[in-house]
């Protein structure tokens, strides 16, 4: 982070820009902000969190800071000093003063879409100041539209897409890493655009309706209009991205606007931090539906919670939440497809399907309660595609392609400074005291750290000098930190946990004592802090009676969930200072304090409950009793009783082992609302979860299953069951089938790389299937040259040459290695379609297909799949298959 002193040097330049001018010229809105600000101050009386307002501020500075503080979430108030936000106010003023469009941006848009730092759940940093320094000269002579395109080219120099976990990296961390998922790329682009004074906002579809995925991109304002673009994916013109077509099938696309916003868009919800607006109609045809919620007798129910749910990742996922008015109604505008409407109040609930564009009104009756058994089939139909693409000339496309290649080379030159395997092993060889397997892990972590490798090498060197390199490797491991943590963790955090974790004998030492990570919080060095501030008799009391720490949290920390609606946890130190938190931040605080004092603690991955292990031995149990924490009651009890759950399923040729998050999910129903049970997405399938009895906490559950069709529709089934303590429950896992539609049978990541063959020689750089094939369906084949099954397959494909050429999609045929390639002679297979791309399988495509499609032997070749760039596999064939070409075309014709 840039030093506060350096940031404040902007003030001298900006005094004249602010002067006695108002940040908010609308007197009524200014008065509303002042009221909200004073209320926020009254809710946070501890920690001197508003000290910046006691300094000499101009009216502009005071009003801008009041606006930020009135609506910023708890972590921003508690974890960052006021000088940090004041410096960013100055930076936004500088951009407005120096950029040619500064005077064109209306006050409303500047207030909500330029000044705020907060975009998603990222950790805040000094990106605005750093990015402005890099971008100002690059864009100052451009029009607003061209400046937006140029900033996106700059972002492409810095980062490209790669999937990762749900925690959002800060913009500068994404640049340091050189890649990010779509939520991180769009956060980067919004931060960059705002840094040069261009209004920008992150657009988010919580879930696509037609495929199991979501997406985030960016809207930017230029000369009176909002335009969209794919973050870090430059196009020659605005309003163009690979997602034009899927967005036209979107059912809900929205953005969170900082503060109270009274713009022209439909408001979905308002809370003390932000205004959620519905911008679906910017991309797709929409219709409105009114929902009436009644009780079992048909009387309207006021203040009922109404959740609009899209089927995605094996569950009905809530994409919008409304509450009924006095007449029992609420409404939503959405794309022209189906959603599930789930209404609840006081433990009673009900649900029904709504078809936007076909139904203007829907009644949902609260006719169910905990324990009721039900089962229902639900057919889900997504919107149809209705994409409109702006015109791009061949010259524009060629120039954009040229620039992207240049930007790739700039980024690749930077990533070449990262540790590769040889360099990592060379460094690890300088460390002492590591076993061979630990040395392998250390090298792996250095490679994964990307641009953060200097932090890790410094840490490992220090630990080696202390004779504790083995402990350092454990701290960096997957039981302690995520891969993303390796890319942005600070040296201070590593050092704090390395030096200040109590030496306690427990089998949970690495994951639940040494580890600094609890949830998705931004990591800070907290252990030394708590050991200093909680010491003596109080610390001994908590160690001997962890229940007393539970009671202390209940009595000492005020809970205000409404002040942290975006769900990013405060730091544990921030909670200590403010003595106010949301529930998640309170949970993180408890676990962090417990670990600092030598009490193993964690949040259960499946249920989300806080747990700790009592090592005092008072109960006579050798390994210590594990307790569930109930903060509302200020108590803890042994992990709740469980029952045994199993599910019957009859494998089919299409689906032999349904996957959790793809084909089914389970949720616990609490107070009429669903709480998804989280299992490891890499290993959770029917055979590992439910084929044999599994211990599950007692309670009332809902199972959802779904068969995704190639047209995007879903054959869903929803049912309920009860788990009783000490009893066994067996339920059917019912996967519906279609006799008429192509079904999605698995997944294949289109971002997977392979090495293309160029004139019979390997290309210098690998390429993703997405880049090679473009958006849409394509074929992947893993060949075994010289083997009869492969020869048959290629000849069958050649027979369908004309049909495959007419289809027009790419067919990527990969050789396992160069030796296999030398056995292949293209002249032996005349008539193969010109859409074929040859290459080497250098990045595990065959392994991925074998794993995802549950193929018993990946070496049994050839393997063919039909998949698309939404990662949906609709056809698979392995080994000896006569008539493969006909099978491929039969599937293609059904798409």
């Amino acid at each position: 982070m840039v030093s506060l002193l350096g940031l404040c040097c902007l003030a001298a330049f900006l005094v004249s820009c602010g002067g006695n001018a108002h940040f908010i010229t609308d007197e009524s809105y200014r008065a509303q902000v002042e009221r909200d600000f004073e209320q926020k101050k009254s809710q946070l009386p501890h920690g001197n969190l508003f000290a910046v307002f006691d300094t000499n501020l101009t009216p502009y500075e005071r009003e801008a800071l009041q606006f930020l503080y009135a609506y910023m979430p708890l972590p921003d108030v508690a974890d960052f000093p006021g000088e940090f936000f004041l410096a960013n106010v100055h930076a936004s003023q500088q951009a407005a003063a120096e950029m040619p469009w500064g005077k064109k941006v209306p006050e409303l848009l500047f207030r909500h879409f330029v000044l705020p730092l907060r975009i998603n759940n990222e950790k805040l940093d000094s990106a605005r100041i750093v990015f402005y320094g890099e971008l100002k000269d690059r864009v100052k002579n451009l029009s607003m539209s061209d400046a937006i395109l140029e900033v996106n080219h700059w972002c492409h120099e810095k980062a490209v897409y790669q999937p990762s976990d749900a925690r959002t990296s800060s913009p500068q961390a994404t640049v340091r890493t050189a890649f990010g998922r779509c939520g991180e790329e769009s956060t980067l682009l919004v931060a960059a655009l705002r840094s040069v004074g261009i209004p920008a906002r992150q657009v988010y579809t919580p879930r696509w309706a037609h495929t199991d995925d979501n997406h985030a991109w960016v809207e930017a304002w230029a000369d009176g209009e909002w335009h969209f673009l794919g973050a870090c994916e430059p196009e020659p013109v605005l309003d163009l991205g690979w997602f034009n077509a899927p967005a036209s099938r979107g059912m809900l696309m929205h953005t969170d606007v900082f503060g109270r916003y009274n713009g022209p868009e439909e408001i979905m919800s308002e809370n003390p931090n932000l205004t959620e607006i519905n911008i679906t109609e910017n991309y797709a045809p929409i219709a409105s539906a009114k929902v009436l919620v009644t009780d079992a007798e048909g009387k309207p129910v006021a203040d009922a919670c109404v959740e609009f749910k899209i089927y995605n990742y094996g569950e009905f996922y809530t994409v919008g939440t409304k509450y009924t008015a006095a007449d029992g109604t609420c409404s939503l505008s959405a794309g022209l497809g189906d959603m599930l409407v789930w209404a609840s109040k006081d433990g009673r609930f009900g649900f029904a399907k709504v078809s936007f564009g076909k139904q203007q009104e829907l009644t949902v009756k609260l006719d169910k309660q905990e324990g009721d058994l039900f089962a229902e089939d639900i057919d889900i139909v997504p919107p149809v595609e209705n994409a409109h693409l702006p015109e791009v000339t061949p010259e524009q496309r060629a120039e954009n392609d040229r620039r992207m290649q240049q930007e790739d080379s700039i980024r690749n030159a930077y990533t070449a400074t990262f540790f590769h395997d040889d360099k990592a092993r060379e460094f690890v060889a300088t460390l002492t005291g590591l076993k061979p397997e630990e040395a392998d892990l250390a090298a792996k972590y250095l490679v994964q750290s990307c641009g953060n490798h200097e932090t890790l090498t410094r840490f490992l060197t220090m630990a080696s000098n202390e004779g504790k390199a083995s402990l350092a490797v454990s701290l960096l491991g997957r039981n302690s930190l995520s891969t993303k943590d390796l890319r942005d963790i600070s040296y201070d955090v590593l050092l704090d946990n390395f030096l200040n974790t109590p030496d306690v004998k427990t089998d949970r030492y690495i994951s639940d004592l040494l580890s600094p990570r609890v949830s998705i919080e931004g990591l800070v060095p907290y252990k030394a802090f708590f050991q200093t501030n909680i010491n003596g008799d109080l610390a001994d009391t908590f160690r001997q009676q962890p229940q007393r720490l539970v009671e202390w949290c209940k009595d000492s920390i005020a809970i205000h969930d409404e002040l942290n609606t975006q769900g990013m946890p405060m730091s544990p130190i921030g909670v200590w200072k403010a003595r106010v938190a949301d529930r998640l931040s309170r949970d993180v605080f408890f676990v962090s304090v417990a670990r600092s004092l030598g009490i193993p603690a964690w949040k259960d991955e499946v249920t989300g409950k806080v747990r700790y292990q009592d090592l005092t031995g008072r109960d006579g149990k050798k390994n210590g009793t594990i307790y569930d924490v109930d903060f509302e009651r200020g108590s803890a009890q042994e992990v709740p009783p469980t029952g045994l759950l199993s599910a019957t399923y009859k494998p089919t040729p299409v689906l032999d082992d349904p996957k959790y998050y793809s084909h089914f999910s389970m949720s616990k129903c609490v107070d009429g609302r669903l709480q998804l049970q989280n299992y490891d997405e890499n290993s959770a399938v029917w055979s590992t979860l439910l084929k044999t009895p599994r211990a599950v906490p007692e309670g009332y559950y809902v199972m959802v299953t779904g068969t995704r069709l190639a047209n995007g529709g879903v054959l869903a089934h929803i049912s309920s069951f009860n788990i009783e303590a000490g009893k066994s429950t067996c339920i059917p896992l019912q996967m519906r089938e279609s006799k008429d539609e192509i079904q999605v049978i698995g997944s294949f990541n289109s971002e997977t790389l392979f090495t293309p063959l160029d004139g019979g020689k390997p290309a210098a750089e690998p390429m993703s299937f997405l880049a090679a094939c473009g958006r849409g369906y394509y074929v992947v084949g893993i060949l075994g040259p010289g083997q009869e099954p492969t020869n048959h397959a290629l000849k069958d494909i050649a027979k369908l040459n004309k049909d495959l050429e007419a289809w027009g999609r790419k067919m990527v045929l990969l050789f396992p290695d160069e030796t296999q390639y030398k056995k292949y002679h293209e002249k032996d297979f005349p008539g193969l379609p010109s859409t074929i791309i040859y290459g080497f399988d250098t990045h595990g495509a065959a392994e991925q297909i074998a794993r995802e499609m549950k193929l018993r032997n990946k070496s049994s070749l050839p393997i063919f799949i039909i998949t698309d760039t939404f990662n949906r596999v609709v056809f698979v064939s392995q080994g000896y298959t006569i008539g493969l070409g006909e099978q491929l075309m039969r599937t293609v014709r059904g798409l």
Side-chain angles (χ1 to χ4, degrees):
M1 183 181 292
V2 176
S3 71
L4 293 177
L5 178 61
L7 296 178
C8 290
C9 287
L10 290 169
F13 166 79
L14 294 162
V15 167
S16 60
C17 301
N20 291 319
H22 286 292
F23 171 69
I24 303 173
T25 58
D26 184 328
E27 293 184 4
S28 63
Y29 189 86
R30 191 192 313 148
Q32 178 65 64
V33 170
E34 290 174 353
R35 289 193 296 272
D36 292 340
F37 171 72
E38 292 299 330
Q39 182 179 0
K40 177 72 76 64
K41 280 184 69 176
S42 68
Q43 292 171 314
L44 300 170
H46 304 289
N48 198 24
L49 302 178
F50 299 86
V52 69
F53 292 94
D54 298 329
T55 61
N56 186 23
L57 300 172
T58 67
Y60 185 100
E61 292 169 339
R62 186 170 296 276
E63 290 172 17
L65 284 173
Q66 283 183 339
F67 173 73
L68 292 175
Y69 272 80
Y71 306 114
M72 67 173 64
L74 283 173
D76 298 353
V77 182
D79 292 337
F80 295 88
E83 290 78 11
F84 171 76
F85 296 105
L86 180 59
N88 279 276
V89 169
H90 292 159
S92 68
Q93 287 180 278
Q94 181 180 7
E98 295 181 348
M99 291 295 102
W101 47 80
K103 292 183 174 59
K104 295 181 182 179
V105 177
E107 180 182 312
L108 174 74
L109 298 185
F110 185 87
R111 183 170 68 227
H112 294 281
F113 302 111
V114 175
L115 175 68
L117 286 76
R118 170 63 57 202
I119 300 165
N120 196 297
N121 65 352
E122 77 279 9
K123 185 175 182 179
L124 299 185
D125 62 20
S126 299
R128 185 190 298 274
I129 293 92
V130 175
F131 291 177
Y132 184 72
E134 290 202 32
L135 285 166
K136 63 178 181 178
D137 291 336
R138 190 160 167 167
V139 301
K140 65 183 180 182
N141 295 320
L142 301 177
S143 67
M144 284 192 83
S145 294
D146 287 343
I148 293 167
L149 294 171
E150 186 63 29
V151 171
N152 204 22
H153 277 289
W154 178 86
C155 288
H156 181 241
E157 289 177 13
K158 304 299 183 183
V160 290
Y161 175 80
Q162 183 168 311
S164 62
D165 62 39
R167 180 173 67 83
T168 304
S169 295
S170 72
Q172 287 181 278
T174 299
V175 169
R176 188 164 59 249
T177 299
F179 62 77
R181 57 177 171 77
C182 61
E184 291 164 332
E185 289 181 306
S186 52
T187 296
L188 169 62
L189 178 55
V190 170
L193 289 167
R194 289 182 181 179
S195 77
V196 293
I198 296 176
R201 59 197 188 190
Q202 184 184 58
V203 180
Y204 191 54
T205 179
R207 292 289 191 271
W208 294 119
H210 64 285
T211 192
D212 290 337
D213 205 353
N214 56 14
H215 194 48
W217 59 93
V218 172
E219 285 188 348
W221 185 89
D223 303 318
E225 294 184 39
W226 286 100
H227 300 274
F228 69 85
L229 63 164
C232 304
E233 299 171 330
E235 291 285 355
V237 296
L238 295 173
D239 301 317
L240 178 63
W242 67 260
F243 51 88
N244 282 66
S248 74
R249 304 186 72 182
M251 289 210 64
L252 183 68
M253 285 153 279
H254 69 134
T255 188
D256 291 337
V257 185
F258 187 93
R260 293 181 184 268
Y261 174 69
N262 53 4
E265 299 90 350
E266 175 192 350
I267 292 177
M268 292 182 62
S269 65
E270 293 179 285
N271 61 57
N273 297 139
L274 53 86
T275 304
E276 181 187 8
I277 59 173
N278 187 346
I279 53 176
T280 309
E281 65 179 339
N282 291 0
Y283 303 91
I286 64 171
S288 181
K290 179 189 287 187
V291 176
L292 170 65
V293 179
T294 72
D295 62 18
E297 288 72 42
K299 298 178 182 178
V301 176
D303 201 34
C305 177
V306 179
E307 298 172 84
F308 294 87
K309 294 175 175 283
I310 289 177
Y311 180 89
N312 197 284
Y313 286 126
E315 66 164 325
F316 282 105
Y317 180 87
T318 300
V319 296
T321 302
K322 300 264 190 168
Y323 288 87
T324 55
D327 64 353
T329 67
C330 66
S331 63
L332 179 72
S333 296
L336 307 183
D338 296 345
M339 288 191 194
L340 186 73
V341 178
W342 186 285
S344 60
K345 186 178 182 182
D346 298 332
R348 300 194 67 85
F349 67 94
F351 59 88
K353 184 180 80 171
V354 59
S355 298
F356 287 89
K358 296 180 180 179
Q359 293 172 265
Q360 294 182 338
E361 297 183 355
L362 174 74
T363 298
V364 179
K365 184 176 290 188
L366 304 183
D367 56 358
K368 298 176 178 65
Q369 61 184 348
E370 184 172 336
D372 289 351
L373 298 180
F374 61 84
E376 186 173 331
D377 289 341
I378 303 173
D379 292 351
I380 298 294
V381 178
V384 298
E385 186 176 313
N386 187 35
H388 299 284
L389 302 178
E391 182 178 350
V392 176
T393 67
E395 293 77 16
Q396 287 176 313
R397 176 58 62 195
E399 173 60 15
N400 196 73
D401 290 346
R402 183 195 68 78
R403 290 202 61 183
M404 289 186 71
Q405 289 180 358
Q406 182 183 38
E407 291 149 14
D408 286 340
S409 67
I410 293 171
R411 187 180 58 260
N412 291 338
Y414 166 64
T415 59
T417 66
F418 295 176
F419 271 51
H420 50 74
D421 187 63
D422 289 344
K423 184 178 179 181
R425 292 184 180 278
E426 181 180 341
F427 168 79
V428 171
T430 67
L431 306 176
T432 59
L434 289 179
K435 299 175 183 177
E437 60 270 21
E438 293 172 332
D440 289 343
L441 289 173
K444 174 184 174 182
Y445 302 151
L446 285 167
V447 172
Q448 292 175 338
S449 69
C450 298
N452 201 35
H453 55 82
E454 290 183 358
T455 297
L456 267 62
T457 55
R458 179 186 175 192
F459 172 64
L460 288 168
T461 299
M462 179 277 302
S464 178
N465 292 339
E466 294 290 323
K468 296 182 178 180
S470 179
L471 177 64
V473 173
S474 295
L475 175 54
L476 298 175
R478 64 182 181 86
N479 289 326
S480 174
L481 297 174
S482 69
T483 301
K484 183 177 288 184
D485 289 331
L486 298 177
R487 301 195 292 262
D488 62 10
I489 197 167
S490 71
Y491 181 77
D492 289 344
V493 170
L494 292 172
L495 189 65
D496 176 64
N497 288 272
F498 180 78
L499 296 178
N500 300 303
T501 301
D503 186 11
V504 175
K505 295 187 183 303
T506 170
D507 57 356
R508 310 190 73 95
Y509 181 79
I510 294 173
S511 61
D512 304 321
L513 270 176
L514 180 66
S515 171
R517 168 69 59 205
V518 180
S519 180
I520 59 169
E521 74 280 8
L523 296 181
V524 298
Y526 61 78
K527 284 181 178 172
F529 176 88
F530 287 124
Q531 289 168 6
T532 299
N533 286 274
I534 306 175
N535 52 34
D537 293 341
L538 183 59
D540 289 339
T541 297
F542 289 160
R543 291 189 189 99
Q544 293 303 314
Q545 301 178 61
Q547 163 64 30
R548 297 289 295 275
L549 178 57
V550 178
E551 296 168 0
W552 188 94
C553 290
K554 177 182 183 297
D555 296 337
S556 302
I557 300 173
I559 298 300
H560 284 283
D561 285 336
E562 76 282 1
L563 298 183
N564 193 17
T565 54
Q566 286 161 287
M568 67 286 273
M570 303 167 65
S571 74
I573 295 174
V575 174
W576 175 267
K577 290 192 300 184
R579 301 298 166 96
V580 172
D582 59 287
R583 284 176 170 79
L584 176 56
S585 299
R586 184 266 324 276
D587 292 354
V588 172
F589 172 82
F590 173 88
V591 172
S592 301
V593 172
R595 290 180 182 178
S596 301
L597 300 178
I599 305 166
W602 64 96
K603 280 179 69 70
D604 183 71
E605 292 182 356
V606 176
T607 65
K609 289 187 175 182
V610 173
R611 291 179 172 173
Y612 69 81
Q613 184 180 23
D614 187 345
L615 299 176
T616 61
R618 289 174 297 141
D619 55 11
K621 294 186 178 180
K622 180 179 179 181
N623 296 320
T625 303
I626 295 176
Y627 289 89
D628 264 355
V629 174
D630 185 338
F631 287 108
E632 277 62 39
R633 292 193 177 99
S635 63
Q637 60 181 9
E638 291 191 43
V639 173
T642 61
L644 293 177
L645 173 66
S646 60
T648 58
Y649 175 72
K650 184 177 181 180
T652 69
V654 173
L655 184 62
D656 66 336
D657 199 1
K659 293 179 64 175
Y660 202 79
Y661 301 120
S662 293
H663 302 110
F664 73 101
S665 67
M666 297 187 300
S667 297
K668 195 170 188 180
C669 191
V670 179
D671 294 328
R673 301 183 69 175
L674 300 180
Q675 299 177 354
L676 181 67
Q677 305 298 284
N678 295 296
Y679 294 97
D680 183 356
E681 63 180 316
N682 295 315
S683 60
V685 293
W686 164 71
S687 61
T688 60
L689 280 181
L690 297 174
K691 186 175 182 179
T692 57
R694 179 185 192 87
V696 175
E698 64 180 347
Y700 180 50
Y701 291 83
V702 170
M703 173 176 276
V704 173
T705 68
T707 299
R708 177 77 73 178
L709 306 178
N711 66 4
V714 180
L715 304 179
H717 181 76
I718 184 169
S719 59
S720 63
F721 59 93
N722 293 290
I723 296 295
E724 298 182 52
K727 295 185 179 180
S728 296
T729 300
C730 185
I731 59 174
L733 179 58
Q734 182 176 331
M735 296 298 306
R736 299 172 60 200
E737 295 185 25
S738 170
K739 297 179 180 179
D740 304 315
E741 296 284 351
I742 301 297
Q743 298 182 16
V744 177
I745 57 176
S747 64
F748 177 78
N749 186 0
S750 61
E751 296 286 346
T752 301
L753 301 176
F754 71 97
T755 300
L757 283 168
D758 185 7
K761 296 182 179 180
E765 295 289 338
M767 177 181 287
S768 71
F769 287 88
L770 171 61
C773 302
R775 295 287 166 179
Y777 282 95
Y778 59 99
V779 176
V780 179
I782 313 295
L783 304 182
Q787 300 173 7
E788 187 173 344
T790 292
N791 293 344
H792 272 292
L794 292 175
K795 290 177 180 178
D796 284 339
I797 289 171
K799 291 177 184 177
L800 275 294
N801 177 302
K802 292 183 180 179
D803 291 321
L804 290 167
E805 293 267 15
W807 183 41
R809 301 302 302 151
K810 297 294 185 182
M811 180 178 292
V812 182
L813 300 183
L814 301 180
F815 303 98
D817 51 43
E818 188 171 358
T819 301
Q820 292 293 314
Y821 171 59
K822 291 179 178 178
K823 299 178 182 178
Y824 177 70
H825 304 289
E826 190 173 354
K827 61 181 176 56
D828 293 340
F829 308 99
L832 288 172
S834 62
T835 52
I836 287 176
I837 300 172
Y838 292 101
F840 287 141
D841 182 15
T842 51
H843 289 73
E847 278 192 10
Q848 184 183 160
I849 293 170
R851 180 177 66 251
E852 294 294 331
M853 303 309 302
K854 302 294 187 296
L855 303 181
R856 288 188 175 86
N857 183 3
K858 69 177 182 181
S859 62
S860 177
L861 301 176
I863 299 171
F864 281 85
I865 62 171
I866 300 177
T867 184
D868 73 352
T869 44
F870 281 108
N871 305 332
R872 304 176 296 183
V873 176
V874 297
F875 172 88
V876 63
S877 171
Q878 182 180 27
Y880 192 88
T881 304
I882 300 297
L884 174 67
E886 292 180 1
Q887 291 185 28
L888 288 171
M889 284 311 305
R890 186 163 57 245
T891 303
V892 165
R893 293 185 183 107
L895 297 176

